[in-house]
């Protein structure tokens, strides 16, 4: 039997999610259960600071299994991440809302990012969790885009990238 602390560490190492965030993680997985993951996040790397130009490099695995990478600059690190993802996914949309909060209050706090995007006259919500808020932002954006692509595929639109 693992001690409680060892179970927590092992769970966090395997999933990247802290046990305090487990209820949110499970709820999000259940809510996303019917959604297809057209794109999955393989890697995100951000360079930011003052002075400097915020730059993000993103690597995604597409619906065909092909891994694509793109780098972009933005007016901040999140903007750079979103531009890099948008260049790979190639789906017309507009970011309507971006919100971030901490799940707990510690130096290992889990960032909970929620975004809303608008496309095709509809709103799609995405959520991302990570101890790295840039990764959480990338996951949230990708989650919303995957929901958009799932809706289009259910309506008969083809998704080819």
């Amino acid at each position: 039997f693992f001690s409680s602390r060892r179970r927590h560490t092992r769970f966090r190492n395997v999933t990247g999610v802290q046990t305090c965030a487990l209820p949110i993680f499970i709820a999000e997985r259940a809510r996303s259960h019917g959604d297809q993951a057209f794109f999955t996040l393989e890697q995100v790397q951000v360079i930011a600071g003052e002075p400097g130009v915020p730059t993000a490099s993103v690597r995604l695995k597409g619906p065909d299994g092909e891994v694509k990478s793109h780098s972009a600059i933005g007016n901040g690190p999140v903007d750079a991440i979103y531009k890099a993802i948008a260049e790979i996914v190639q789906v017309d949309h507009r970011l309507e809302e971006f919100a971030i909060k901490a799940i707990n209050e510690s130096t290992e706090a889990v960032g909970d990012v929620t975004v809303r995007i608008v496309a095709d006259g509809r709103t799609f919500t995405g959520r991302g969790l990570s101890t790295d808020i840039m990764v959480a932002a990338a996951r949230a954006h990708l989650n919303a885009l995957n929901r958009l692509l799932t809706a289009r595929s259910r309506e008969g639109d083809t998704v080819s990238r």
Side-chain angles (χ1 to χ4, degrees), residues 11-12 14-18 21-41 110 112 125-130 135-136 139-140 142-144 146-147 154:
F11 175 81
R12 185 180 66 214
V14 170
T15 64
V17 175
Q18 299 231 1
L22 185 58
I24 293 169
F25 180 75
I26 291 171
E28 185 56 29
R29 291 287 183 204
R31 193 166 76 93
S32 300
H33 179 68
D35 295 338
Q36 189 172 348
F38 287 94
F39 290 89
T40 56
L41 182 66
V110 174
D112 180 3
T125 302
R127 192 171 192 184
L129 301 171
S130 178
V135 173
R139 287 178 179 167
L142 208 51
N143 182 240
N146 279 327
R147 288 189 170 150
R154 287 180 180 156

Side-chain angles (χ1 to χ4, degrees), residues 2-3 5 7 20 26 37 45 47 55 58-59 66 78-79 81 83 85 88 97 101 109 113 124 128 137 142 148 157:
F2 291 113
S3 71
R5 186 167 186 75
R7 277 195 306 267
C20 62
I26 291 171
Q45 184 174 6
I47 300 170
T55 307
V58 174
R59 187 168 60 222
E66 182 181 350
V78 173
D79 185 49
I81 290 169
K83 286 178 177 176
I85 289 173
I88 296 170
E97 183 178 340
K101 64 180 181 178
V113 175
F124 300 90
L142 208 51
L148 163 60
D157 289 351

Side-chain angles (χ1 to χ4, degrees), residues 18 20-22 24 98-114 127-133 136:
Q18 299 231 1
C20 62
L22 185 58
I24 293 169
F98 174 91
I100 184 166
K101 64 180 181 178
I103 301 287
N104 58 350
E105 297 177 16
S106 77
T107 58
E108 294 182 7
V110 174
D112 180 3
V113 175
T114 303
R127 192 171 192 184
L129 301 171
S130 178
T131 54
D132 183 325
I133 59 170

